[in-house]
Amino acid sequence: MQRRETSGMGRENHTEVSQFLLLGLSDDPKFQPILFGMFLFMYLITVLGNLLIILAVISDSHLHNPMYFFLSNLSFVDICFTTTTVPKMLVNIQTKNKNISYMQCLSQVYFFMVFAGMDNFLLTVMAFDRFVAICHPLNYTVIMNPHFCCLLVLMCWMIILSVSMFHSLLMKQLTFSMGTEIPHFFCELAQILRVTNSDVLINNIALYVATALLCVFPVTGILYSYSQIVSSLLKMSSVVSKYRAFSTCGSHLCVVCLFYGTALGVYLSSAGTHVSQGSTIASVMYTVVTPMLNPFIYSLRNKDVKGALVRFLRVYSCPW
């Protein structure tokens, strides 16, 4: 491992590492081919499933409305979210090399925060969309106009890119020992802060603030939206009307429960000093399994998406 010694007036020498060691999911050689095949399969299914959702929304004019505009953005973010972690892990398993360069690790931390935060924001925006559609149906097209929808997504990107860049700049100030091991299958900010030699008080404060911004506020917004939706449903006299109204947000509610349920599992299982096996498994659910299942949830529970996918596949599989 290479290293550089830097010094300056009034400063102590410190070591800048060029790479870290990702310990991965298992050290047992027998499990490596199984892990490689399993994660390669899940990654390909994730990319293919979410890509089909995007293409179906673009190609079908019936899906050109705010709900499916946000869904296509969520599918794009899920592809990027999984791509941030899984390909590097597959390369490490295939080459039997656990090294990850400092810049790769820094980039992974940055993009992981970006796409995880965008997942949070988009799920919140989608909940707000369902709230307007069910609680204020007469004003829905006026409120959720294309300009406002694009503005919401743009604001989400600007906020999360700024927050992630701030954390990356703070991380660049940290120092590490030679041969630093990260007990995970990817570079996660919380794990990086545990293995550094530097004082991480400012980093931890910034992480808590970011957690409040990226998790607490979005969850509060989702809970408020659904509380209002349930209140509106209870006021409806027709059972058919209740079913139709709730069916439009059933898929979103499933995705919200899956996303935040697995995310909560990650933080509850990693509440101790060291990363447990349960925390690693929860991270797999959060970063790999959830993005893979989202297309199935939306396609199986939503007749519009299912119909659009069938029409898209029918057209492009039989061009004659």
Side-chain angles (χ1 to χ4, degrees):
M1 181 180 295
Q2 298 177 349
R3 67 178 184 178
R4 302 192 307 272
E5 298 291 339
T6 63
S7 61
M9 295 300 294
R11 297 185 303 174
E12 294 182 357
N13 290 357
H14 65 273
T15 302
E16 296 181 357
V17 299
S18 60
Q19 57 188 14
F20 300 103
L21 294 176
L22 289 174
L23 298 186
L25 296 173
S26 174
D27 291 326
D28 194 337
K30 296 180 181 179
F31 289 119
Q32 300 308 307
I34 298 175
L35 290 174
F36 181 84
M38 181 177 66
F39 277 91
L40 178 61
F41 174 77
M42 288 192 294
Y43 177 67
L44 294 177
I45 292 297
T46 300
V47 174
L48 178 61
N50 284 287
L51 186 60
L52 283 175
I53 293 289
I54 295 172
L55 293 176
V57 172
I58 293 174
S59 63
D60 197 313
S61 60
H62 296 92
L63 303 184
H64 292 177
N65 58 55
M67 181 170 69
Y68 298 111
F69 169 72
F70 296 132
L71 175 59
S72 61
N73 276 272
L74 181 67
S75 294
F76 170 74
V77 169
D78 280 341
I79 292 174
C80 298
F81 186 37
T82 307
T83 303
T84 301
T85 57
V86 175
K88 177 58 180 176
M89 181 181 65
L90 293 176
V91 170
N92 284 3
I93 293 176
Q94 184 66 18
T95 60
K96 299 179 182 180
N97 184 354
K98 297 183 178 182
N99 293 337
I100 181 171
S101 70
Y102 175 79
M103 289 307 300
Q104 284 180 332
C105 188
L106 184 63
S107 300
Q108 202 170 61
V109 169
Y110 174 75
F111 286 111
F112 181 82
M113 289 194 65
V114 167
F115 297 122
M118 277 303 297
D119 259 339
N120 279 279
F121 285 153
L122 285 173
L123 289 175
T124 307
V125 170
M126 293 171 76
F128 174 72
D129 172 72
R130 292 299 83 207
F131 159 70
V132 176
I134 294 175
C135 300
H136 304 282
L138 299 179
N139 297 322
Y140 178 70
T141 55
V142 176
I143 297 174
M144 303 302 295
N145 60 79
H147 177 75
F148 181 66
C149 292
C150 292
L151 183 61
L152 282 176
V153 173
L154 181 61
M155 286 179 59
C156 292
W157 278 110
M158 290 177 64
I159 292 172
I160 194 58
L161 288 173
S162 300
V163 171
S164 300
M165 180 59 69
F166 177 70
H167 280 283
S168 298
L169 293 175
L170 287 179
M171 180 179 162
K172 282 185 65 67
Q173 308 304 316
L174 303 178
T175 58
F176 304 87
S177 301
M178 301 300 296
T180 297
E181 296 180 345
I182 301 174
H184 219 313
F185 65 94
F186 67 96
C187 288
E188 186 182 29
L189 181 59
Q191 303 307 323
I192 297 295
L193 297 182
R194 289 178 177 176
V195 298
T196 181
N197 297 327
S198 305
D199 181 21
V200 294
L201 176 62
I202 296 178
N203 300 77
N204 282 327
I205 293 174
L207 184 59
Y208 293 144
V209 173
T211 301
L213 174 65
L214 305 181
C215 295
V216 177
F217 290 164
V219 169
T220 302
I222 292 172
L223 292 176
Y224 174 78
S225 296
Y226 274 102
S227 67
Q228 296 301 306
I229 289 173
V230 171
S231 177
S232 295
L233 292 177
L234 293 176
K235 295 176 182 178
M236 294 181 182
S237 56
S238 172
V239 177
V240 176
S241 299
K242 290 181 180 179
Y243 174 78
R244 287 178 179 175
F246 187 76
S247 64
T248 62
C249 54
S251 299
H252 175 260
L253 191 59
C254 289
V255 172
V256 167
C257 293
L258 184 63
F259 181 82
Y260 287 106
T262 53
L264 182 62
V266 171
Y267 289 100
L268 289 180
S269 57
S270 63
T273 304
H274 300 288
V275 178
S276 64
Q277 188 67 22
S279 173
T280 304
I281 294 173
S283 294
V284 172
M285 292 292 296
Y286 174 54
T287 59
V288 183
V289 177
T290 300
M292 180 186 69
L293 293 180
N294 286 354
F296 293 99
I297 294 173
Y298 277 104
S299 61
L300 293 177
R301 293 185 57 87
N302 191 303
K303 293 182 180 180
D304 293 334
V305 175
K306 189 187 300 184
L309 285 172
V310 170
R311 288 189 292 272
F312 174 80
L313 294 174
R314 189 176 298 164
V315 170
Y316 288 95
S317 61
C318 302
W320 58 87

